[in-house]
Amino acid sequence: MRRVTAWVERHPDASAALALFLLPFAVHAPAFLPGRVLSPADHLLVLYPWRHLVPGAIPGNPLLTDVAFQLHPSVLYAAGEIAAGRVPLWNPHAFAGVPFLANPTPALLFPLTALAYVLPGVLALTLMSVLKCSAAGLAMHWFLRGLALAHRRFGRLPWKRLVDPAAALARDGFTMHPSLARSLKRIV
């Protein structure tokens, strides 16, 4: 244990980066268990033909319908096409057919989407979500370190005065227009 503590003290940035990379894996560990997936697929249980499987089902987050209805199915469709040796230029299953590779929504050329091309679908979808959280944590760490370095070199205002407004926004949220608040209350 002393070795680990000494390494952390010698390499504070590397240890912070490692912790921020691994934290989403720890938080979302249950999603990696067999039969689980990190997906809002529970939205499907309120629609036919799946509605009878769990009568009265209520989705966990009603704001995530696009992920369940469009994004995850698009990634899985693309993975199937690539596994069959075809470039997914066209999706014949949406409307009367729509361009697919040219559509930015499925993000077919996004590096993490490539996981779906080489891994089983459930594992790929879960890894994609968790790795995005890891990347966000790492990027925020590096962003704040860069700000601190720039402030140390060029800053004139006290650090607290610069950071307090952002901390207040993170803590208190933001004021929204009353019509948006009413709309969200109806949805959620």
Side-chain angles (χ1 to χ4, degrees):
M1 188 64 167
R2 255 186 265 154
R3 274 188 185 162
V4 173
T5 305
W7 187 87
V8 167
E9 288 172 356
R10 279 194 321 273
H11 304 93
D13 279 335
S15 56
L18 182 62
L20 288 168
F21 179 78
L22 294 176
L23 183 62
F25 285 91
V27 170
H28 298 296
F32 289 99
L33 296 174
R36 307 291 297 272
V37 64
L38 188 59
S39 171
D42 55 346
H43 284 283
L44 299 175
L45 297 175
V46 299
L47 301 172
Y48 294 106
W50 304 282
R51 190 178 207 158
H52 75 282
L53 296 174
V54 183
I58 299 172
N61 185 343
L63 300 176
L64 294 177
T65 56
D66 283 357
V67 175
F69 296 154
Q70 187 174 9
L71 299 178
H72 284 175
S74 293
V75 168
L76 296 176
Y77 170 72
E81 288 295 290
I82 288 173
R86 295 184 293 267
V87 176
L89 299 173
W90 188 259
N91 181 354
H93 306 294
F95 306 111
V98 293
F100 195 63
L101 184 63
N103 183 351
T105 302
L108 299 182
L109 302 177
F110 178 57
L112 292 180
T113 305
L115 293 172
Y117 307 151
V118 295
L119 296 173
V122 170
L123 177 60
L125 293 176
T126 303
L127 269 176
M128 287 167 59
S129 298
V130 173
L131 286 171
K132 287 175 190 175
C133 292
S134 291
L138 288 169
M140 181 54 70
H141 172 70
W142 292 326
F143 173 70
L144 292 174
R145 289 288 291 149
L147 282 181
L149 291 171
H151 179 263
R152 212 173 302 141
R153 185 164 180 194
F154 305 110
R156 293 184 179 23
L157 295 174
W159 180 253
K160 182 172 173 42
R161 184 171 170 199
L162 294 173
V163 175
D164 276 353
L169 180 65
R171 181 187 61 242
D172 303 331
F174 59 92
T175 305
M176 66 175 69
H177 193 274
S179 65
L180 178 58
R182 284 191 301 275
S183 296
L184 287 174
K185 280 185 181 176
R186 281 194 303 269
I187 294 172
V188 180

